[in-house]
Amino acid sequence: MRNEEPRPLAGQCLCGAVRYLVLDAFVYAANCHCSQCRRATGSAFKPFAGIERDKLSLAHGEDDVMRFGDHQAHDVHCGRCGSLLYSVVRNGEYVHVTLGTLDSAPSIRPDKHIFVGSKAAWFTITDDLPQFLEHAD
Ligand SMILES: [Zn+2]
Ligand SMILES: [Zn+2]
């Protein structure tokens, strides 16, 4: 029997206080090199995947969540360890899940580099994925 329902993926912060579930039905995925993603993650870029907001739910640790930003667009961190779990974007309709916080691999793969125009000078992109100066088309 075929099961066509997307399976839920679990994710969590570094300390485990905040955990979420998200359906493995991401709409797009990219590596973002913008300065905000670099600062939020402390990394050269942020691999993330986008999905409708109602397909993600907090499974544990609502009281430990720290939100940075306003109601319609904010980053969701663990208030204890600081991990960036996901960002609420696009007028609150989508979330961008940081792929590094997932417990297991999603079906989707980042297939492009975005905001390469503000990429860190000390980092060199060594794959052949398409690069966009800002948002992808
Ligand atoms: Zn934590
Ligand atoms: Zn970014």
Side-chain angles (χ1 to χ4, degrees):
M1 218 167 87
R2 285 177 65 192
N3 179 3
E4 299 190 353
E5 287 294 306
R7 67 200 167 97
L9 298 169
Q12 64 180 313
C13 65
L14 176 60
C15 76
V18 181
R19 296 197 289 272
Y20 64 86
L21 289 170
V22 62
L23 287 182
D24 187 20
F26 291 104
V27 185
Y28 51 88
N31 297 323
C32 186
H33 295 259
C34 85
S35 62
Q36 292 186 46
C37 286
R38 286 191 280 121
R39 290 190 197 286
T41 60
S43 301
F45 58 88
K46 181 183 78 174
F48 73 92
I51 191 168
E52 296 87 346
R53 188 179 187 175
D54 61 4
K55 293 181 179 171
L56 180 146
S57 58
L58 278 176
H60 188 265
E62 169 69 41
D63 291 345
D64 285 317
V65 161
M66 190 269 288
R67 293 179 174 83
F68 177 75
D70 61 31
H71 183 67
Q72 299 287 10
H74 56 263
D75 289 344
V76 174
H77 297 260
C78 172
R80 293 176 183 253
C81 70
S83 290
L84 172 60
L85 297 159
Y86 57 90
S87 304
V88 174
V89 298
R90 298 171 69 180
N91 297 317
E93 294 175 7
Y94 280 75
V95 289
H96 285 175
V97 175
T98 52
L99 293 180
T101 61
L102 287 172
D103 292 343
S104 53
S107 300
I108 202 168
R109 297 286 183 274
D111 60 0
K112 58 182 95 57
H113 295 279
I114 63 173
F115 285 89
V116 171
S118 46
K119 180 180 78 60
W122 46 264
F123 180 77
T124 303
I125 297 171
T126 56
D127 60 44
D128 295 326
L129 296 177
Q131 299 182 17
F132 297 87
L133 287 180
E134 293 188 351
H135 285 291
D137 301 331

